[in-house]
């Protein structure tokens, strides 16, 4: 796999595939039974296309499951998280971030299972 950056996280890992000034493309892998923090962004919106497993997406306090081929659209400022409800299969999605800034420091965490700030 060709990637610019690889980052391991407590919930799984992500790979940055492409990074430009106003957009970023990532492959995100979420381990079985894990979830990311509930968060929002000031400078970007995101589109998540599921390519393996099922993603349980919480968006503005509403849960919905997305299957392979479906895309969740996360608007600028929307509170959101992704989770892998499966106990037997990792979940993989392709994330496209667009906006005026796509840095990792544009994450405002509301709730986090791993006690990150």
């Amino acid at each position: 796999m060709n990637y610019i950056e690889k980052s391991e996280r407590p919930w799984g890992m992500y790979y940055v595939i492409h990074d430009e000034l106003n957009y970023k493309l990532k492959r995100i892998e979420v381990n079985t039974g894990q979830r990311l923090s509930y968060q929002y962004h000031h400078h970007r919106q995101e589109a998540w296309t599921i390519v393996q497993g099922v993603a349980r997406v919480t968006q503005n306090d509403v849960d919905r499951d997305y299957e392979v081929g479906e895309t969740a659209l996360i608007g600028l400022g929307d509170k959101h998280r992704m989770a892998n409800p499966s106990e037997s299969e990792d979940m993989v999605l392709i994330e496209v971030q667009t906006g005026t800034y796509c840095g990792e420091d544009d994450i405002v965490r509301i709730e986090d299972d791993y006690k990150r700030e």
Side-chain angles (χ1 to χ4, degrees):
M1 175 188 313
N2 292 330
Y3 55 86
I4 297 168
E5 174 188 346
K6 175 183 175 181
S7 183
E8 293 190 34
R9 299 291 190 203
W11 44 260
M13 62 184 16
Y14 71 79
Y15 303 85
V16 176
I17 299 167
H18 197 82
D19 193 358
E20 294 289 337
L21 183 61
N22 62 342
Y23 73 94
K24 184 181 285 188
L25 179 63
K26 287 183 176 179
R27 174 188 166 100
I28 298 176
E29 301 174 357
V30 182
N31 297 334
T32 59
Q34 300 298 307
R35 65 184 184 172
L36 282 68
S37 61
Y38 196 43
Q39 58 186 253
Y40 64 92
H41 309 289
H42 291 291
H43 304 284
R44 71 175 184 250
Q45 54 274 338
E46 299 171 341
W48 301 339
T49 300
I50 313 313
V51 296
Q52 178 181 308
V54 172
R56 179 157 298 144
V57 175
T58 304
Q59 186 171 6
N60 296 320
D61 301 321
V62 176
D63 292 334
R64 178 179 166 204
D65 286 352
Y66 289 79
E67 297 185 8
V68 171
E70 295 184 309
T71 300
L73 299 176
I74 309 299
L76 180 66
D78 283 357
K79 297 180 293 182
H80 62 279
R81 87 171 352 140
M82 67 181 80
N84 179 358
S86 174
E87 294 184 13
S88 61
E89 180 180 35
D90 288 347
M91 183 268 289
V92 180
L93 61 82
I94 301 301
E95 175 181 83
V96 179
Q97 303 174 0
T98 56
T100 58
Y101 178 70
C102 297
E104 288 300 304
D105 56 343
D106 183 31
I107 297 173
V108 180
R109 288 190 174 92
I110 300 165
E111 178 184 296
D112 185 61
D113 296 345
Y114 312 102
K115 310 294 187 232
R116 295 172 294 172
E117 294 290 321

